[in-house]
Amino acid sequence: MDRRIVSDEAEAGRRGREKYYLAAFVIMTCLCAYFAYRAFGAKGGLQNTAQIEAKAKTKEITHKEKDIYTKEYQDEAQEQIDKLKEEADYTVDDPLLISNPYGTNTTSIYYFANSDHYSYAKCTVEAEGAEKITQTLKNDGENNLTLQHEYQITGLAEGAKNKITMIFYDRNDKVVDRTYFYVTTDEDSEIPEITKVEEGSSKQEMTDGFFAMLGHDKSEAANVYFYDNEGVSRGKIPLNGYRTDRLITVDGNLIFSYDTSNIAVMNRLGKIIDTMDIGKYEFHHDFCYDEDAGVLLCLVNDTGKDTIEDVLISVDLETGKVKELIDFEDLLPEMRKNAVQRKGGKNTYGGTELDWLHLNSLDIIDDGEIIVSSREQSALIKVSDIFDQPEISYIIHGGTLYDGTDYEQYLLEQDGDFRGQAGQHTITVEKSDDLEDGQYYLYMFDNNFGNAATIPDFDWDQYPGVGTYNEGDASHYYKYLIDEEASTYQLVQDFDLPYSNIVSSVQQMGGNIPFSSGRSKCFGEYDEDGNMIKTFTYDADKYSYRVMKYNFKGFYYQ
């Protein structure tokens, strides 16, 4: 046999085996890569950064029940959502999108999708003329990582085409999916128009968040209206005829009142999961959350009394139990006795109840200790042991109203030469580790308004430059340093704000000071030194009660 033939056959066999081994190697490599992607990629390893337009179109929910805050309305929404979720295998490339199914945020989108990767989502909302907003969405997974993405995407601009970009990150903060889609929202003529935007002298950046307009024009449409840092409308929370005075996040849920006597508990998807009725009481002006006691503290009217705006109750958020804590007639009987009804026999709301104290805000100082603001008496009153035996601890008042009364002994001494607060609103406690024991700050919107209709002999000469109902030079941001050990208070910061004789608000947020001046029909933001960053003027027949700013961390956002 020819050796060359044997040699050629051997060589051909060797080459065949090499091709076989190579093919097997390629197949094994591909399989390893595939399983590594499925297993390792889901735990954080591989990246897919291509941006894909999601295929989904926004769906609508129908309702027979019209009242958002009923179980029937919420159940209707949930049944339809659950049915839609079963109809397809929704992915981040083809998610389930539903327009405002629970009825609680008019420009919101319900989002549902399954992912191959344990991940969290960052959402960016963009619209022409509006602020570009990017937030990490909160989910229920451990460390905010989940395979099932279910959100209420909020902050879509009203009456605009919105681009929503969803970027998903693994536990190592690497991108695993990136999609986008468009939603066009309807115009809403009920939302108050921003008529003017004024830039201030400060170069400080605005804080992240939405301005929430509360109590616009006292109308039956006293909804919550949201605006971004450009003054663009970002939707509303509809209410049932009476404003809410705050939005409070408690245990991952949003708490607010939706009419005169009812509280709503809303989860991060916008679903109303509970409501609470406060019975014979009616909300007015303010409420806050006492974390240690697990209760809402609420300023209320007792509808069985012949006075108004002088009662404090607690509402247990676990049980819904309502308890009356303080009737200020019992705490300040002499002041109640000295008060008279306004000329004409009616209060400012048209009723005959005596508005002798007009409590308009409160805050917690310590366990069982609160500070309340009385507009009628231009006083700040600290009350201790509110759950058992309430008693006055001190009073801050810049005039002579309490001279010669049983309450003169409680007056803190004014440290320095300044005009006391007059007709103030939104009193707020600020603690600092830099202060000594017994010291803290109180800040407020000082209306600088000189009127007390139930106290005709109020000596306004003690308040030089105080404004009237129709005009005034300025209201003020006032900040006091309280020293309980020395029984003194000192004005440590003061700057002018647009004048408002009534209502209005200030708050501290991210180093800045958001504000609203009700009668000037404006809101905006100042820097920490009192220099204006930006002011928005809005359309109103009268005013809005407050405009507060919220970033919704711990609720919508991580």
Side-chain angles (χ1 to χ4, degrees), residues 127-331:
E128 184 177 356
E131 179 187 14
K132 181 179 179 179
I133 296 172
T134 299
Q135 294 285 356
T136 299
L137 301 179
K138 186 175 182 293
N139 63 60
D140 297 328
E142 184 177 356
N143 298 318
N144 209 44
L145 295 168
T146 185
L147 290 172
Q148 190 174 84
H149 293 272
E150 189 175 25
Y151 307 110
Q152 183 185 34
I153 299 176
T154 59
L156 276 67
E158 169 252 340
K161 182 178 181 179
N162 293 260
K163 180 182 179 182
I164 295 95
T165 302
M166 301 286 287
I167 304 180
F168 300 86
Y169 297 82
D170 67 14
R171 68 182 70 249
N172 297 315
D173 301 322
K174 294 180 179 178
V175 176
V176 292
D177 282 298
R178 186 194 305 262
T179 65
Y180 67 93
F181 54 91
Y182 294 93
V183 175
T184 299
T185 58
D186 295 332
E187 292 186 2
D188 189 341
S189 60
E190 193 175 51
I191 296 175
E193 180 185 356
I194 300 300
T195 59
K196 180 181 177 183
V197 179
E198 182 181 358
E199 299 282 349
S201 61
S202 176
K203 303 303 180 185
Q204 178 67 29
E205 294 289 328
M206 301 273 277
T207 53
D208 289 340
F210 294 120
F211 292 98
M213 184 180 291
L214 311 172
H216 179 262
D217 269 350
K218 281 190 172 180
S219 68
E220 291 187 0
N223 308 306
V224 181
Y225 302 107
F226 294 111
Y227 300 88
D228 66 21
N229 286 333
E230 298 297 330
V232 174
S233 166
R234 310 306 280 247
K236 73 183 181 190
I237 297 177
L239 303 178
N240 280 4
Y242 184 74
R243 68 172 188 254
T244 185
D245 297 314
R246 292 185 188 270
L247 304 172
I248 298 178
T249 299
V250 178
D251 296 331
N253 296 315
L254 199 67
I255 311 294
F256 55 94
S257 62
Y258 63 91
D259 65 21
T260 54
S261 299
N262 285 278
I263 298 165
V265 182
M266 184 172 79
N267 70 14
R268 65 178 181 83
L269 300 178
K271 182 179 181 180
I272 302 299
I273 58 174
D274 198 6
T275 60
M276 301 175 194
D277 191 331
I278 61 171
K280 68 173 182 175
Y281 302 104
E282 293 180 344
F283 293 111
H284 73 83
H285 285 96
D286 211 359
F287 56 85
C288 65
Y289 179 61
D290 186 328
E291 185 175 2
D292 292 329
V295 298
L296 282 184
L297 300 176
C298 309
L299 298 178
V300 296
N301 296 323
D302 180 342
T303 57
K305 291 181 56 179
D306 62 358
T307 61
I308 56 173
E309 303 189 348
D310 58 357
V311 173
L312 177 74
I313 65 169
S314 65
V315 181
D316 190 306
L317 292 182
E318 287 291 327
T319 65
K321 181 180 179 181
V322 177
K323 180 181 180 181
E324 183 171 310
L325 300 179
I326 305 173
D327 184 336
F328 279 81
E329 282 195 276
D330 299 331
L331 209 59

Side-chain angles (χ1 to χ4, degrees), residues 43 81 86 138 185 372 399:
K43 296 179 180 179
I81 291 170
E86 293 175 356
K138 186 175 182 293
T185 58
V372 295

Side-chain angles (χ1 to χ4, degrees), residues 55 58 77 127 168 202 264 266 329 403 440 491 506:
K55 304 172 185 176
T58 306
F168 300 86
S202 176
M266 184 172 79
E329 282 195 276
D403 291 0
Y440 49 89
L491 182 65
V506 290

